[in-house]
Amino acid sequence: MPELPEVETIVHSLFPALVGKTILSADLLWPRTLAVPSPASFKKNIRGQQISSITRRAKFLDLELSSSHLLFHLRMSGDLLVVLGGYQPAVHDRLILQLSEDSRLIFSDPRKFGRVWLVKDPAGIFQDLGPEPLSENFTGSWLFNALHARHRQLKPLLLDQAFLAGLGNIYTDEALHLAKLHPLSRSDSINRKQAERLCQSIREVLEEGIRRNGASIDWVYRGGDFQNHFRVYGREGQPCPVCGTKIERITIGQRGTHFCPHCQLRAKMRYPVK
Ligand SMILES: [Zn+2]
């Protein structure tokens, strides 16, 4: 499942191929791919719009058009590709946008969880998202306060897109190991120093993921090789890169979670002394 670095990698790869192109027509091969508007209105409104920019917000791709925004969420298995030359639609293609005589943007999605929106203003769709972890707003002191405003376990809280945008299972496990924090620690047990370290660790693993063009797990990315540099994710039974202890795997909220039982101790709850 693509997370922030993988979506960022796709944005970078599509940018030169798409910006400046005009969408001539849309072929919607699986109508439920479209969240809004109706298929008829989508096909009518998108025609003739020029793509002026592509950005990322959380795990959304945001294509800015002449008079609307075309948003994609890839979810489990979605992918976006620009194909040049003659093209025969493949079995998992859900939407094909004709860009010129011989160039198309293909949204393919074997598992059909991905979604597409065509809206005037994306703010309504982004309104429930937490801050971007690579933005200036994401600081150790913001994180400390936000962690203490919740009373939840760290792992599920970090996966919650309303708390922080863009993290998924892989980068959360990697960041918690780098920060030496146990995934089951309570958010309100984290002290300021640990919150600062967690903030830095989240940035570091995401930046490394982007630098390595993402991780290619269950997914064909753009040559990403971060999977060869995982500290804990998918490494159950293998030695921790820091201390050599065997990495353990537990299930938290139905998500496989990998951690080092030696490096990542559970923070002790401290109660205010009255
Ligand atoms: Zn360790």
Side-chain angles (χ1 to χ4, degrees):
M1 187 173 187
E3 303 180 32
L4 186 157
E6 287 76 35
V7 176
E8 189 76 27
T9 300
I10 293 171
V11 167
H12 287 157
S13 77
L14 291 178
F15 199 95
L18 290 184
V19 170
K21 292 274 173 20
T22 298
I23 298 169
L24 304 179
S25 63
D27 198 0
L28 188 61
L29 302 169
W30 195 67
R32 283 171 61 192
T33 282
L34 201 56
V36 286
S38 69
S41 160
F42 177 82
K43 286 185 194 178
K44 180 166 159 275
N45 289 332
I46 204 161
R47 202 174 297 146
Q49 291 212 51
Q50 193 181 38
I51 303 169
S52 56
S53 184
I54 310 175
T55 53
R56 178 193 60 73
R57 172 72 173 107
K59 302 178 199 169
F60 289 85
L61 289 107
D62 179 0
L63 277 65
E64 194 183 329
L65 309 181
S66 317
S67 61
S68 346
H69 287 253
L70 178 63
L71 309 178
F72 291 89
H73 199 300
L74 307 174
R75 300 261 164 79
M76 301 294 284
S77 64
D79 198 8
L80 279 165
L81 289 167
V82 173
V83 178
L84 302 175
Y87 186 74
Q88 276 299 327
V91 64
H92 298 308
D93 290 352
R94 307 300 174 205
L95 172 67
I96 300 179
L97 299 176
Q98 188 84 34
L99 302 172
S100 65
E101 191 72 2
D102 64 348
S103 129
R104 294 164 181 83
L105 174 64
I106 317 280
F107 178 59
S108 108
D109 187 18
R111 298 184 64 182
K112 297 183 174 175
F113 291 110
R115 285 294 174 270
V116 178
W117 295 254
L118 182 68
V119 291
K120 285 279 170 216
D121 181 358
I125 290 161
F126 297 158
Q127 68 181 353
D128 294 330
L129 292 171
E132 285 288 327
L134 297 179
S135 74
E136 286 176 3
N137 305 335
F138 182 62
T139 61
S141 71
W142 177 87
L143 184 59
F144 176 81
N145 291 329
L147 290 170
H148 281 258
R150 315 292 199 289
H151 313 285
R152 291 175 61 188
Q153 293 167 335
L154 279 184
K155 171 90 189 249
L157 182 57
L158 292 174
L159 288 176
D160 183 346
Q161 299 298 296
F163 180 73
L164 188 63
L167 286 180
N169 212 29
I170 293 176
Y171 293 89
T172 303
D173 283 5
E174 293 295 299
L176 286 171
H177 180 266
L178 189 56
K180 295 184 163 42
L181 291 170
H182 194 287
L184 286 172
S185 289
R186 282 262 307 249
S187 61
D188 49 356
S189 72
I190 302 303
N191 64 33
R192 283 190 183 274
K193 208 172 146 195
Q194 290 170 322
E196 188 61 50
R197 206 165 63 210
L198 180 57
C199 172
Q200 290 305 325
S201 301
I202 289 170
R203 283 175 181 274
E204 225 170 279
V205 297
L206 292 174
E207 280 165 0
E208 187 182 356
I210 291 171
R211 207 163 55 239
R212 297 188 183 281
N213 293 323
S216 304
I217 293 273
D218 298 335
W219 177 266
V220 181
Y221 285 124
R222 311 296 196 267
D225 75 339
F226 188 50
Q227 70 279 7
N228 300 326
H229 304 272
F230 287 161
R231 304 165 68 90
V232 287
Y233 185 82
R235 298 190 60 246
E236 183 186 5
Q238 296 177 49
C240 166
V242 175
C243 73
T245 304
K246 281 186 179 174
I247 301 296
E248 289 184 8
R249 182 185 188 279
I250 54 173
T251 302
I252 304 176
Q254 298 171 326
R255 310 299 296 273
T257 298
H258 310 79
F259 70 102
C260 170
H262 178 75
C263 293
Q264 295 171 262
L265 293 176
R266 282 178 82 160
K268 293 198 173 59
M269 273 305 286
R270 287 186 304 189
Y271 297 94
V273 179
K274 294 216 167 122

Coordinates of all heavy atoms in Angstrom, one line a residue, residues 161-214:
Q161 N -4.9 9.1 9.9 CA -4.6 10.2 9.0 C -5.2 11.5 9.5 O -4.7 12.6 9.1 CB -5.2 9.9 7.6 CG -4.6 8.6 6.9 CD -3.1 8.7 6.7 OE1 -2.7 9.5 5.9 NE2 -2.4 7.9 7.4
A162 N -6.1 11.5 10.4 CA -6.6 12.7 11.0 C -5.6 13.2 12.1 O -5.6 14.4 12.4 CB -8.0 12.5 11.7
F163 N -4.7 12.4 12.6 CA -3.7 12.8 13.5 C -2.5 13.4 12.8 O -2.0 14.5 13.1 CB -3.3 11.6 14.4 CG -2.3 12.0 15.4 CD1 -2.6 12.7 16.6 CD2 -1.0 11.6 15.3 CE1 -1.7 13.1 17.5 CE2 0.0 11.9 16.2 CZ -0.3 12.7 17.3
L164 N -2.0 12.6 11.8 CA -0.8 12.9 11.0 C -1.0 12.3 9.7 O -1.4 11.1 9.6 CB 0.4 12.4 11.7 CG 1.8 12.8 11.2 CD1 2.0 14.3 11.3 CD2 2.9 12.1 11.9
A165 N -0.8 13.1 8.6 CA -1.1 12.6 7.3 C 0.1 11.9 6.6 O 1.2 12.4 6.7 CB -1.5 13.8 6.4
G166 N -0.2 10.8 6.0 CA 0.8 10.2 5.1 C 1.5 8.9 5.5 O 2.1 8.2 4.7
L167 N 1.5 8.7 6.9 CA 2.2 7.5 7.4 C 1.3 6.2 7.2 O 0.1 6.3 7.3 CB 2.5 7.6 8.9 CG 3.6 8.5 9.3 CD1 3.7 8.5 10.8 CD2 4.9 8.1 8.7
G168 N 1.9 5.1 6.9 CA 1.2 3.8 6.8 C 2.0 2.8 7.6 O 2.9 3.2 8.5
N169 N 1.8 1.6 7.4 CA 2.3 0.5 8.3 C 3.8 0.5 8.3 O 4.5 0.3 9.3 CB 1.7 -0.8 7.8 CG 1.6 -1.8 9.0 OD1 1.4 -1.3 10.1 ND2 1.7 -3.1 8.7
I170 N 4.4 0.6 7.1 CA 5.9 0.4 7.0 C 6.6 1.6 7.7 O 7.5 1.3 8.6 CB 6.3 0.4 5.5 CG1 5.8 -0.9 4.8 CG2 7.8 0.5 5.4 CD1 6.1 -0.9 3.3
Y171 N 6.3 2.8 7.3 CA 7.1 3.9 7.8 C 6.8 4.2 9.3 O 7.7 4.7 10.0 CB 6.8 5.2 7.0 CG 7.4 5.0 5.6 CD1 6.6 4.5 4.5 CD2 8.7 5.3 5.3 CE1 7.2 4.2 3.3 CE2 9.3 5.1 4.0 CZ 8.5 4.6 3.0 OH 9.0 4.3 1.8
T172 N 5.6 3.8 9.8 CA 5.4 3.9 11.2 C 6.3 2.9 12.0 O 6.9 3.3 13.0 CB 3.9 3.6 11.5 OG1 3.1 4.5 10.8 CG2 3.6 3.8 13.0
D173 N 6.4 1.7 11.6 CA 7.2 0.7 12.3 C 8.7 1.2 12.2 O 9.4 1.1 13.2 CB 7.2 -0.7 11.6 CG 5.9 -1.4 12.0 OD1 5.1 -0.8 12.7 OD2 5.8 -2.6 11.6
E174 N 9.1 1.7 11.1 CA 10.5 2.2 10.9 C 10.8 3.4 11.8 O 11.8 3.5 12.5 CB 10.8 2.5 9.5 CG 10.8 1.3 8.5 CD 11.9 0.3 8.8 OE1 13.0 0.7 8.7 OE2 11.6 -0.8 9.2
A175 N 9.8 4.3 11.9 CA 10.0 5.5 12.7 C 10.1 5.2 14.2 O 10.9 5.7 14.9 CB 8.9 6.5 12.4
L176 N 9.2 4.3 14.6 CA 9.1 3.9 16.0 C 10.4 3.2 16.5 O 10.9 3.5 17.6 CB 7.9 3.1 16.3 CG 6.6 3.8 16.3 CD1 5.4 2.8 16.4 CD2 6.5 4.8 17.5
H177 N 11.0 2.4 15.6 CA 12.3 1.8 15.9 C 13.4 2.8 16.0 O 14.2 2.8 17.0 CB 12.6 0.7 14.9 CG 13.9 0.0 15.2 ND1 15.1 0.4 14.7 CD2 14.2 -1.0 16.0 CE1 16.1 -0.4 15.1 NE2 15.5 -1.3 16.0
L178 N 13.4 3.7 15.1 CA 14.5 4.7 15.1 C 14.4 5.6 16.3 O 15.3 6.0 16.9 CB 14.4 5.6 13.8 CG 15.5 6.6 13.5 CD1 16.8 5.9 13.4 CD2 15.2 7.3 12.2
A179 N 13.1 5.8 16.7 CA 12.9 6.7 17.9 C 13.0 5.9 19.2 O 12.8 6.5 20.3 CB 11.5 7.3 17.8
K180 N 13.2 4.6 19.1 CA 13.3 3.7 20.3 C 12.0 3.8 21.2 O 12.1 3.8 22.4 CB 14.5 4.1 21.2 CG 15.9 3.8 20.5 CD 17.0 4.1 21.5 CE 18.3 3.6 21.1 NZ 18.7 3.7 19.7
L181 N 10.9 3.7 20.5 CA 9.6 3.8 21.2 C 8.8 2.5 20.9 O 8.7 2.1 19.7 CB 8.8 5.0 20.8 CG 9.4 6.3 21.3 CD1 8.7 7.5 20.7 CD2 9.3 6.4 22.9
H182 N 8.2 1.9 21.9 CA 7.4 0.7 21.7 C 6.1 1.1 21.1 O 5.4 2.1 21.5 CB 7.1 0.0 23.1 CG 6.6 -1.4 23.0 ND1 5.4 -1.6 22.6 CD2 7.2 -2.5 23.2 CE1 5.2 -3.0 22.5 NE2 6.3 -3.5 22.9
P183 N 5.6 0.3 20.0 CA 4.4 0.7 19.3 C 3.1 0.7 20.2 O 2.2 1.3 19.9 CB 4.3 -0.4 18.2 CG 5.3 -1.5 18.6 CD 6.3 -0.8 19.4
L184 N 3.2 0.0 21.4 CA 2.0 -0.1 22.2 C 2.1 1.0 23.3 O 1.2 1.1 24.2 CB 1.9 -1.5 22.9 CG 1.4 -2.6 22.0 CD1 1.5 -3.9 22.7 CD2 0.0 -2.3 21.5
S185 N 3.2 1.8 23.4 CA 3.2 2.8 24.4 C 2.0 3.8 24.3 O 1.6 4.1 23.2 CB 4.5 3.7 24.2 OG 5.6 2.9 24.6
R186 N 1.6 4.2 25.4 CA 0.5 5.2 25.4 C 1.0 6.6 25.0 O 2.1 7.0 25.4 CB -0.1 5.3 26.8 CG -1.0 4.1 27.2 CD -2.5 4.5 26.9 NE -2.8 5.8 27.7 CZ -3.6 5.8 28.7 NH1 -4.2 4.7 29.2 NH2 -3.9 7.0 29.3
S187 N 0.2 7.2 24.1 CA 0.7 8.5 23.6 C 0.9 9.5 24.7 O 1.9 10.3 24.6 CB -0.4 9.0 22.6 OG -1.6 9.3 23.2
D188 N 0.1 9.5 25.8 CA 0.3 10.5 26.8 C 1.4 10.1 27.8 O 1.5 10.7 28.9 CB -1.0 10.8 27.5 CG -1.8 9.5 27.9 OD1 -1.3 8.4 27.6 OD2 -2.8 9.6 28.5
S189 N 2.1 9.0 27.5 CA 3.3 8.6 28.4 C 4.6 9.1 27.8 O 5.6 8.9 28.4 CB 3.3 7.1 28.6 OG 3.7 6.5 27.4
I190 N 4.6 9.7 26.6 CA 5.8 10.1 25.9 C 6.2 11.5 26.5 O 5.5 12.4 26.5 CB 5.5 10.2 24.4 CG1 5.0 8.9 23.9 CG2 6.7 10.7 23.6 CD1 5.9 7.7 24.1
N191 N 7.5 11.5 26.9 CA 8.0 12.8 27.4 C 8.5 13.7 26.2 O 8.5 13.3 25.1 CB 9.1 12.6 28.5 CG 10.4 12.0 27.9 OD1 10.7 12.2 26.8 ND2 11.0 11.2 28.7
R192 N 8.9 14.9 26.6 CA 9.2 15.9 25.5 C 10.4 15.5 24.7 O 10.4 15.6 23.5 CB 9.6 17.3 26.2 CG 8.3 18.0 26.6 CD 8.6 19.5 27.0 NE 7.4 20.1 27.5 CZ 6.5 20.7 26.7 NH1 6.7 20.7 25.4 NH2 5.4 21.2 27.1
K193 N 11.4 14.9 25.3 CA 12.6 14.4 24.6 C 12.2 13.3 23.6 O 12.7 13.3 22.5 CB 13.6 13.9 25.6 CG 15.0 14.1 25.2 CD 16.0 13.8 26.3 CE 17.2 13.1 25.7 NZ 18.0 12.4 26.8
Q194 N 11.4 12.4 24.1 CA 10.9 11.3 23.2 C 10.1 11.8 22.1 O 10.2 11.3 20.9 CB 10.1 10.3 24.0 CG 11.0 9.5 25.0 CD 10.2 8.7 26.0 OE1 9.1 9.1 26.4 NE2 10.7 7.5 26.3
A195 N 9.2 12.8 22.3 CA 8.4 13.4 21.3 C 9.3 14.1 20.2 O 9.0 13.9 19.0 CB 7.4 14.4 21.8
E196 N 10.3 14.7 20.7 CA 11.3 15.4 19.7 C 12.0 14.3 18.9 O 12.1 14.5 17.7 CB 12.3 16.2 20.6 CG 13.2 17.1 19.8 CD 12.5 18.1 19.0 OE1 11.7 18.9 19.6 OE2 12.8 18.2 17.8
R197 N 12.4 13.2 19.5 CA 13.1 12.1 18.8 C 12.1 11.5 17.8 O 12.5 11.1 16.7 CB 13.6 11.1 19.8 CG 14.8 10.4 19.3 CD 15.5 9.7 20.5 NE 14.6 8.7 21.1 CZ 14.6 8.3 22.4 NH1 15.5 8.9 23.2 NH2 13.8 7.4 22.9
L198 N 10.8 11.3 18.2 CA 9.9 10.7 17.3 C 9.6 11.6 16.1 O 9.6 11.1 15.0 CB 8.6 10.4 18.1 CG 7.4 9.8 17.3 CD1 7.9 8.4 16.6 CD2 6.2 9.5 18.1
C199 N 9.5 12.9 16.3 CA 9.3 13.8 15.3 C 10.5 13.7 14.3 O 10.3 13.6 13.0 CB 9.2 15.2 15.8 SG 9.2 16.6 14.6
Q200 N 11.7 13.7 14.8 CA 12.9 13.6 13.9 C 12.9 12.3 13.2 O 13.3 12.3 12.0 CB 14.2 13.8 14.8 CG 14.4 15.2 15.3 CD 14.5 16.2 14.2 OE1 14.9 16.0 13.1 NE2 13.9 17.4 14.5
S201 N 12.5 11.2 13.9 CA 12.6 9.9 13.3 C 11.6 9.8 12.1 O 11.9 9.2 11.1 CB 12.3 8.8 14.3 OG 13.3 8.9 15.4
I202 N 10.4 10.3 12.3 CA 9.4 10.3 11.3 C 9.9 11.0 10.0 O 9.8 10.5 8.9 CB 8.0 10.9 11.8 CG1 7.4 9.9 12.8 CG2 7.1 11.1 10.7 CD1 6.2 10.5 13.6
R203 N 10.4 12.2 10.3 CA 11.0 12.9 9.1 C 12.1 12.1 8.4 O 12.1 12.1 7.2 CB 11.6 14.3 9.6 CG 10.6 15.3 9.9 CD 11.4 16.5 10.5 NE 10.5 17.6 10.8 CZ 10.1 18.5 10.0 NH1 10.5 18.5 8.8 NH2 9.3 19.5 10.4
E204 N 13.0 11.6 9.2 CA 14.1 10.9 8.7 C 13.7 9.7 7.8 O 14.2 9.5 6.7 CB 15.0 10.4 9.8 CG 16.5 10.7 9.6 CD 17.2 10.4 10.9 OE1 17.2 11.3 11.8 OE2 17.8 9.3 11.0
V205 N 12.8 8.9 8.3 CA 12.4 7.7 7.5 C 11.7 8.1 6.3 O 11.8 7.4 5.2 CB 11.7 6.6 8.3 CG1 12.5 6.0 9.5 CG2 10.3 7.1 8.9
L206 N 10.8 9.1 6.4 CA 10.1 9.5 5.2 C 11.1 10.1 4.1 O 11.0 9.9 2.9 CB 9.0 10.6 5.5 CG 7.9 10.0 6.4 CD1 7.0 11.2 6.8 CD2 7.1 9.0 5.6
E207 N 12.0 10.9 4.6 CA 13.0 11.5 3.7 C 13.9 10.4 3.0 O 14.2 10.5 1.8 CB 13.9 12.6 4.4 CG 13.1 13.9 4.5 CD 13.7 14.8 5.5 OE1 14.8 14.5 6.1 OE2 13.2 16.0 5.7
E208 N 14.2 9.4 3.8 CA 15.0 8.3 3.2 C 14.2 7.6 2.2 O 14.6 7.2 1.1 CB 15.5 7.4 4.3 CG 16.5 6.4 3.7 CD 17.0 5.3 4.6 OE1 16.7 5.4 5.8 OE2 17.7 4.4 4.1
G209 N 12.9 7.4 2.5 CA 12.0 6.7 1.6 C 11.9 7.4 0.3 O 11.9 6.8 -0.8
I210 N 11.7 8.7 0.4 CA 11.6 9.6 -0.8 C 12.9 9.5 -1.6 O 12.9 9.3 -2.9 CB 11.3 11.0 -0.5 CG1 9.8 11.1 0.0 CG2 11.4 12.0 -1.7 CD1 9.5 12.5 0.6
R211 N 14.1 9.6 -0.9 CA 15.4 9.5 -1.5 C 15.6 8.2 -2.3 O 16.2 8.2 -3.3 CB 16.5 9.7 -0.5 CG 17.7 10.3 -1.0 CD 18.6 10.8 0.2 NE 18.9 9.8 1.2 CZ 18.5 10.0 2.5 NH1 17.9 11.1 2.9 NH2 18.8 9.0 3.3
R212 N 15.0 7.1 -1.8 CA 15.2 5.8 -2.4 C 14.0 5.5 -3.3 O 13.7 4.3 -3.6 CB 15.3 4.8 -1.3 CG 16.5 4.9 -0.4 CD 16.7 3.8 0.5 NE 17.9 4.0 1.4 CZ 19.1 3.8 1.0 NH1 19.4 3.4 -0.2 NH2 20.1 4.0 1.9
N213 N 13.2 6.5 -3.7 CA 12.0 6.3 -4.5 C 11.0 5.3 -4.0 O 10.3 4.6 -4.7 CB 12.5 5.9 -5.9 CG 13.2 7.0 -6.7 OD1 12.9 8.1 -6.5 ND2 14.3 6.6 -7.4
G214 N 10.8 5.3 -2.7 CA 9.8 4.5 -2.0 C 10.3 3.0 -1.9 O 11.4 2.6 -2.3

